[in-house]
Amino acid sequence: MFVRLLLVAGAIIAALVALFIPGSPEREPYVQGRNKTALFISNIEHGLSNVHVATASALLEGYPDIEVHFASFSQLRKKLARVSAFAQAKTPAAKDIIFHELHGQPFFEAVELLGGDLESTISPPGVAGVDRFTKGLQDWISPWGVEEHMVIYNEIGAIIDEIDPAVVVLDTMMRPALDSTRDKNRVHAFVTPNTLVDNFLGDQPYGSMFWKYPAMTSGFDFPVPWRNMLENIYLNIRFIHAAMLTPNLSAKKVALRARGVKDPINFLKMHRDDVPWITMNTEGASIPVDVVPTNVTCAGPILLSVAPASEQDPELAQWVGRAPTVIINLGSGFSYPLNYVRPMVGAIVEVLTKTNVQVLWKFNKHGEYSDEELAPLKPFIESGRLQMSNWLPVDVLSLLETGDVVASVHHGGSNCFHEAVSAGVPHVILPMWVDLYNFAALSETAGIGVWGCRDTSPTWTADGISSAIIKVVDGGEASISLREKSKSLGDKLKAGEKGRDISAREIAKLAYVK
């Protein structure tokens, strides 16, 4: 009876949500420009842009007759030049990606200008953290102010007019680009690092988004346990309320409409049934859904790997090959404040003392504290079992693909998660905000990873981190199971078509004008 009540409640809530979200209006046919021309528009942050860069790279290699343009901020220029050179080495007929620089603040810089920072982002899972996240939801939906939104909107409009592309490939988090593209009624598609449960829970039948699928930030297992169902319903209601009724976002929409933007920052109607949507959803490493919209392509991991690690940095590749290696890389945007560096240092000492592994740690300092905090690591650096760097000179995927990495310690971001999945490497996930908790829970459900410090997240303890890593690398029963399941999934993905090639093929279909 209790479950049936939840089913009915979920269905009623879903129906009410549908009443408040109007259906898609009839539209004029989209404008398709010059034959064999594609324009990518994305943010610069690795977690947001990597799927677009990977797709553009595969497009150069597999469809060299297509002219590829890329609009973004200046920080992406060198990476795209490198991608072009690699594609030309594989496919001599491939051309350069034509870069168009956008002005203004990149996504995370715009978030910081609104007062967002590391401390304000970190939040616990579930009800305890939902208030903090929903309060800042407008910053993540679109962090640019009205003036800056219009600058980027107009720049992109001018680029579209100049290039006249057959298809525009969009980043879901680049709202000025989406508004400009749709106001010009251009043929477009989305490529996203998110999975189906991140974007299409509202399409699932019987209101199951409320009672079956873990809400964002929840970290619940799938399907949601009975004991967590009411909390899951509450979390989803909070997100819907925040998305629809954020006052500052509503004021921004009014101001943008007054400037001529037709339907600005429409968060709840981003997906359209006539616009292709390409996602990294991966069978065996994603929560399965009952309904997949017909225009959605599940490509699996859409990843960029420009060259083997031995070519990118022979010295580092040789070091990684000396012993089983643990890579600690918490994403491009994370740096370590003192209260996080202390438990990590303690955990690394414990792991290196109790096992035969070596550790590669991507470390960036956040705030002011003495280098003495790192002193316990000195013996391991001197013995060559620990390397620290504020940036990795090679693509992480190329290191994972060497076969010498026995654990990937990361924050639970979609790119980090899918890189390890693709390479068949077990995870140790240390989530600290929003969707990261669900990837951590998913890794345990799939039997390919461990949620480190699960009982204390987002706070770390040295014991919580070290015990998670040791569980993966010590060769015990749990370690063997994690490695075997990870390798089996990775081998399956390697035997199939690469996600970036699937994504490129879908974009190529739109780039060829019929």
Side-chain angles (χ1 to χ4, degrees):
M1 182 64 179
F2 176 65
V3 173
R4 183 167 182 177
L5 284 172
L6 287 174
L7 285 169
V8 173
I12 291 172
I13 294 169
L16 288 172
V17 171
L19 287 175
F20 285 102
I21 305 175
S24 300
E26 290 190 12
R27 288 180 288 272
E28 294 292 322
Y30 292 116
V31 176
Q32 189 173 29
R34 288 193 298 125
N35 190 26
K36 303 179 184 178
T37 310
L39 168 62
F40 290 78
I41 311 174
S42 85
N43 288 288
I44 61 169
E45 291 75 17
H46 176 80
L48 301 176
S49 67
N50 195 54
V51 289
H52 299 86
V53 177
T55 301
S57 175
L59 203 60
L60 292 181
E61 295 171 23
Y63 306 88
D65 57 331
I66 293 177
E67 185 178 290
V68 179
H69 295 254
F70 210 113
S72 189
F73 302 99
S74 61
Q75 293 90 331
L76 211 55
R77 184 189 295 272
K78 288 184 179 180
K79 185 174 184 179
L80 292 171
R82 182 166 162 246
V83 165
S84 297
F86 179 72
Q88 289 159 4
K90 293 180 67 176
T91 306
K95 308 177 186 71
D96 287 336
I97 295 174
I98 303 170
F99 184 71
H100 302 264
E101 182 178 343
L102 300 176
H103 299 89
Q105 299 290 335
F107 185 89
F108 276 114
E109 288 185 18
V111 170
E112 289 174 0
L113 287 176
L114 288 174
D117 55 21
L118 183 65
E119 283 78 8
S120 65
T121 301
I122 293 174
S123 55
V127 173
V130 73
D131 285 340
R132 174 175 288 187
F133 177 67
T134 53
K135 183 178 179 181
L137 185 60
Q138 65 158 335
D139 300 348
W140 299 107
I141 292 175
S142 183
W144 295 279
V146 172
E147 295 299 329
E148 190 147 36
H149 188 106
M150 291 305 302
V151 167
I152 300 171
Y153 171 95
N154 289 326
E155 277 192 323
I156 288 170
I159 291 169
I160 291 173
D161 290 343
E162 176 190 348
I163 298 169
D164 188 26
V167 57
V168 180
V169 186
L170 293 171
D171 172 353
T172 58
M173 301 301 288
M174 186 66 160
R175 301 305 309 202
L178 173 56
D179 290 344
S180 186
T181 300
R182 286 190 165 170
D183 281 1
K184 288 183 173 295
N185 201 37
R186 305 296 301 216
V187 169
H188 61 286
F190 290 100
V191 181
T192 172
N194 298 110
T195 62
L196 293 173
V197 294
D198 298 318
N199 295 117
F200 299 107
L201 281 188
D203 294 271
Q204 304 314 305
Y206 311 117
S208 55
M209 68 173 289
F210 293 96
W211 55 266
K212 181 178 181 180
Y213 297 97
M216 189 179 292
T217 81
S218 71
F220 295 150
D221 295 331
F222 170 81
V224 175
W226 287 20
R227 65 182 182 275
N228 299 128
M229 283 186 183
L230 288 176
E231 184 177 347
N232 203 64
I233 291 173
Y234 172 77
L235 289 172
N236 275 299
I237 292 173
R238 287 296 307 274
F239 284 122
I240 292 169
H241 179 270
M244 295 177 67
L245 300 175
T246 303
N248 291 343
L249 192 59
S250 299
K252 188 186 295 184
K253 288 181 179 182
V254 170
L256 290 171
R257 283 195 188 96
R259 300 289 190 92
V261 182
K262 296 176 184 176
D263 186 21
I265 320 177
N266 190 334
F267 178 65
L268 296 171
K269 278 297 179 181
M270 195 183 320
H271 172 253
R272 292 177 177 177
D273 56 15
D274 56 358
V275 174
W277 188 287
I278 303 165
T279 170
M280 286 218 285
N281 210 76
T282 305
E283 185 178 355
S286 296
I287 293 174
V289 298
D290 297 314
V291 174
V292 180
T294 55
N295 65 325
V296 173
T297 299
C298 296
I302 305 171
L303 305 172
L304 179 66
S305 180
V306 297
S310 57
E311 293 181 17
Q312 295 186 53
D313 191 320
E315 186 176 344
L316 179 59
Q318 185 179 24
W319 180 84
V320 168
R322 293 193 326 171
T325 301
V326 173
I327 294 180
I328 302 175
N329 172 34
L330 272 71
S332 57
F334 182 77
S335 53
Y336 288 78
L338 181 58
N339 59 324
Y340 281 88
V341 79
R342 281 177 173 167
M344 183 59 79
V345 167
I348 292 173
V349 170
E350 185 79 358
V351 169
L352 291 175
T353 300
K354 291 186 174 181
T355 73
N356 66 342
V357 303
Q358 57 186 17
V359 173
L360 175 61
W361 182 20
K362 180 178 177 290
F363 169 75
N364 280 298
K365 191 174 181 180
H366 181 83
E368 296 297 326
Y369 50 85
S370 170
D371 290 343
E372 285 300 309
E373 298 290 344
L374 303 173
L377 302 176
K378 187 176 179 181
F380 301 103
I381 294 173
E382 291 175 347
S383 68
R385 293 185 61 205
L386 171 65
Q387 284 203 24
M388 295 172 59
S389 176
N390 59 5
W391 68 287
L392 296 178
V394 302
D395 296 316
V396 174
L397 179 59
S398 70
L399 291 174
L400 297 173
E401 289 175 335
T402 62
D404 300 315
V405 178
V406 292
S408 174
V409 183
H410 59 88
H411 61 312
S414 185
N415 273 289
C416 290
F417 179 81
H418 284 96
E419 284 174 345
V421 166
S422 175
V425 175
H427 313 251
V428 173
I429 301 181
L430 301 171
M432 286 172 283
W433 58 81
V434 201
D435 58 323
L436 308 185
Y437 293 112
N438 288 10
F439 275 113
L442 174 61
S443 74
E444 294 199 337
T445 301
I448 58 175
V450 178
W451 179 344
C453 304
R454 183 166 190 164
D455 294 336
T456 62
S457 294
T459 301
W460 296 349
T461 65
D463 181 65
I465 300 172
S466 62
S467 61
I469 296 175
I470 290 171
K471 181 178 181 179
V472 173
V473 306
D474 68 358
E477 184 177 344
S479 173
I480 292 170
S481 175
L482 287 162
R483 292 192 198 186
E484 288 179 347
K485 288 182 179 179
S486 298
K487 184 178 184 302
S488 176
L489 180 55
D491 288 345
K492 181 180 178 181
L493 291 170
K494 290 170 189 173
E497 188 177 11
K498 294 184 183 299
R500 61 178 177 269
D501 295 330
I502 295 171
S503 182
R505 183 173 64 243
E506 294 303 310
I507 300 304
K509 290 177 183 177
L510 301 171
Y512 293 121
V513 178
K514 296 180 178 62

